[in-house]
Amino acid sequence: FSIAQKKFTEHHLKKNADKPFFMYMALGAAHLPHTPPYKYIDGTPIAGEHESEHKDMLFEVDKVVGSVVQMLEEKEILEETILVFASDNGGLNQTFSSGPLREKKNSIYEGGHRIPMTIRWDGKIPKGGRRSKLVGLNDLFATLC
């Protein structure tokens, strides 16, 4: 979560509080090379905290998502915000699994492109629900906006 994204949100709420906005955050954390930071912006140690640099990077992703949710709570807009969290491809080619799916990242098989996706919209989408329908990430903006 960057200072620019936080400033964008604050500026929007100051100038256009009654209008919705769309913010896209692409996190490169799970991509190679895995170079976790020593610390997160709040001082939490990241590098070397888990058994692999990849898992350190996933921990950083968790911290980023937590920072976004915290900021939305502080600005009192979480309940009217749709949060979408998704990957961009299947599991890595190293030792990380795509579960029961055939192959991994960069493959034409399901393990190469089927991904998890989570959507949070308090009061609209029940917590803990599961769906098995296919969704195209390229349709999300048109659908939500």
Side-chain angles (χ1 to χ4, degrees):
F1 188 56
S2 73
I3 293 170
Q5 289 158 328
K6 189 172 184 176
K7 284 184 178 181
F8 167 82
T9 305
E10 290 171 350
H11 175 78
H12 178 82
L13 292 174
K14 189 175 185 179
K15 300 286 185 183
N16 302 297
D18 58 331
K19 296 181 182 176
F21 67 95
F22 179 85
M23 181 188 302
Y24 175 77
M25 294 177 57
L27 305 175
H31 292 85
L32 295 172
H34 294 136
T35 54
Y38 292 112
K39 293 181 181 178
Y40 187 61
I41 56 174
D42 68 359
T44 303
I46 301 287
E49 294 297 305
H50 300 89
E51 60 270 14
S52 71
E53 289 179 334
H54 178 74
K55 289 183 180 178
D56 286 340
M57 298 300 292
L58 294 178
F59 178 56
E60 182 189 23
V61 169
D62 189 52
K63 294 292 292 179
V64 170
V65 172
S67 293
V68 170
V69 171
Q70 180 181 355
M71 186 269 302
L72 294 169
E73 287 173 336
E74 289 170 359
K75 302 293 181 191
E76 299 180 352
I77 59 172
L78 180 60
E79 289 184 9
E80 57 198 62
T81 300
I82 302 170
L83 293 170
V84 178
F85 184 86
S87 180
D88 62 350
N89 52 40
L92 293 174
N93 294 324
Q94 287 77 6
T95 59
F96 303 102
S97 173
S98 291
L101 303 176
R102 183 177 178 184
E103 291 293 333
K104 295 178 176 65
K105 180 178 178 176
N106 297 325
S107 167
I108 62 169
Y109 297 103
E110 279 190 282
H113 59 266
R114 187 173 283 229
I115 59 162
M117 182 174 76
T118 301
I119 300 178
R120 175 180 173 173
W121 191 9
D122 293 355
K124 304 287 185 183
I125 298 175
K127 292 180 183 180
R130 297 179 66 92
R131 308 290 185 275
S132 61
K133 304 287 185 202
L134 290 176
V135 175
L137 291 178
N138 54 332
D139 290 334
L140 279 179
F141 180 81
T143 301
L144 299 176
C145 300

